[in-house]
Amino acid sequence: KAGVTQTPRYLIKTRGQQVTLSCSPISGHRSVSWYQQTPGQGLQFLFEYFSETQRNKGNFPGRFSGRQFSNSRSEMNVSTLELGDSALYLCASSSGGETQYFGPGTRLLVL
Amino acid sequence: AQSVTQLGSHVSVSEGALVLLRCNYSSSVPPYLFWYVQYPNQGLQLLLKYTSAATLVKGINGFEAEFKKSETSFHLTKPSAHMSDAAEYFCAVSGGTGANNLFFGTGTRLTVIP
């Protein structure tokens, strides 16, 4: 089976812009979770989608949002970008059990 | 609430020596525990997981971890380090039954000295 894929892999944006990241889970997986990784804060959970519904949410401002489509693909959107949003954004998929499989990440740089 | 603490942000070992990376957890429910490895410019790869079955868990690449409830620990070990083991290692605990979010430790960077 193909692994989790994320696009784009690298992205450069300026402050105030918005960005959309995409994640395609492992075939058959219905749960998609998003994490932010920064040198200062480490790995932090953003949110999880299961069957097109947000099932769990971390402690991030409303500028961070997501959605999941009927084919389980997920997108994450960040509006009004700030310098502190520069990070590696990781997507993970799960069949609904406890084990999550991660994609390679999207590295976002905000200038 | 769930959390993990990784002792030692950097660990250096000689090639062929024992690798020991420490992780202690805190959980209000029976925990599911994980070790992930991250190579430069890559995502996280699952090494092994504990899900309340055997307390000694074997993973990929010769790694194993032992769940010790009395010590709230889940340390990662490998008998003989290889150069290819140099990476960052993360311990994580799940958010609890029905929750599919992970709480990660701050990571331990492993350096292997030839």
Side-chain angles (χ1 to χ4, degrees):
Chain A
K1 277 186 181 178
V4 178
T5 57
Q6 293 186 245
T7 57
R9 292 292 311 278
Y10 303 92
L11 207 48
I12 300 175
K13 292 286 187 179
T14 56
R15 280 182 299 173
Q17 287 187 310
Q18 73 165 11
V19 67
T20 299
L21 312 181
S22 181
C23 171
S24 292
I26 293 170
S27 177
H29 285 192
R30 295 166 64 190
S31 168
V32 174
S33 298
W34 289 89
Y35 294 82
Q36 182 196 63
Q37 185 178 25
T38 60
Q41 299 299 317
L43 280 153
Q44 294 184 286
F45 171 75
L46 281 155
F47 32 65
E48 182 213 358
Y49 285 86
F50 183 85
S51 294
E52 302 179 64
T53 301
Q54 188 179 89
R55 187 161 72 170
N56 208 351
K57 188 177 188 305
N59 189 25
F60 277 80
R63 300 186 297 108
F64 291 82
S65 63
R67 59 177 176 169
Q68 187 178 34
F69 301 96
S70 58
N71 62 357
S72 294
R73 189 177 69 85
S74 177
E75 288 183 347
M76 190 192 96
N77 183 274
V78 188
S79 63
T80 319
L81 283 166
E82 301 176 0
L83 295 179
D85 297 333
S86 294
L88 180 67
Y89 289 89
L90 292 164
C91 165
S93 78
S94 164
S95 60
E98 72 284 346
T99 304
Q100 296 186 41
Y101 298 90
F102 284 79
T106 294
R107 188 165 296 281
L108 171 65
L109 177 61
V110 181
L111 301 176
Chain B
Q2 284 73 32
S3 67
V4 293
T5 301
Q6 290 185 243
L7 299 175
S9 58
H10 291 87
V11 170
S12 293
V13 299
S14 298
E15 191 175 14
L18 171 72
V19 175
L20 171 60
L21 304 182
R22 300 177 187 274
C23 173
N24 287 89
Y25 71 90
S26 173
S27 179
S28 54
V29 297
Y32 291 160
L33 293 159
F34 306 82
W35 276 99
Y36 285 88
V37 61
Q38 186 175 37
Y39 298 99
N41 299 314
Q42 294 188 26
L44 300 175
Q45 181 182 8
L46 179 67
L47 279 176
L48 51 78
K49 63 182 180 182
Y50 167 76
T51 56
S52 74
T55 56
L56 182 62
V57 181
K58 294 188 184 298
I60 62 171
N61 301 338
F63 285 94
E64 63 181 38
E66 186 172 7
F67 173 74
K68 292 186 176 180
K69 185 177 179 181
S70 61
E71 299 177 7
T72 60
S73 69
F74 190 57
H75 301 331
L76 182 70
T77 60
K78 182 174 180 178
S80 176
H82 192 272
M83 295 299 294
S84 61
D85 295 327
E88 188 143 24
Y89 292 80
F90 292 93
C91 180
V93 62
S94 70
T97 304
N100 215 20
N101 56 310
L102 294 172
F103 295 91
F104 285 89
T106 50
T108 298
R109 183 167 300 278
L110 176 67
T111 300
V112 182
I113 304 166

